[in-house]
């Protein structure tokens, strides 16, 4: 049974998450032959303040990048 864990910033509406979960489930079914009932998709919404890249808070990484 595949468990797909997706970590992302908060703010996506339920409709978008439903669509993503549905498509991921279809891929596992089509490509790997796994019954749709056996695929689990988890969304973890993590605040930007809790993300780090290269040891630096995401909020500071974004603020320092040129546009």
């Amino acid at each position: 049974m595949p468990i797909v864990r997706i970590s992302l910033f908060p703010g996506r509406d339920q409709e978008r998450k439903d669509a993503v979960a549905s498509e991921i489930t279809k891929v596992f079914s089509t490509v790997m032959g796994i019954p749709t009932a056996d695929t689990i998709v988890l969304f973890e919404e993590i605040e930007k303040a809790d993300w780090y890249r290269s040891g630096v808070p995401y909020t500071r990484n974004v603020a320092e990048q040129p546009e």
Side-chain angles (χ1 to χ4, degrees):
M1 159 187 339
I3 299 173
V4 180
R5 184 179 305 259
I6 301 170
S7 300
L8 68 165
F9 297 138
R12 276 40 172 229
D13 60 36
Q14 191 63 47
E15 185 176 295
R16 287 183 186 205
K17 290 189 280 186
D18 290 349
V20 169
S22 176
E23 293 300 316
I24 289 171
T25 300
K26 286 179 194 174
V27 167
F28 275 94
S29 179
T30 303
V31 175
M32 301 186 79
I34 296 171
T36 57
D38 290 345
T39 299
I40 296 172
V41 179
L42 303 170
F43 290 93
E44 289 183 293
E45 294 188 345
I46 303 172
E47 296 296 327
K48 288 182 182 181
D50 294 327
W51 285 79
Y52 287 76
R53 180 173 49 201
S54 302
V56 179
Y58 179 83
T59 50
R60 197 165 73 200
N61 270 317
V62 171
E64 294 173 358
Q65 291 193 9
E67 294 185 31

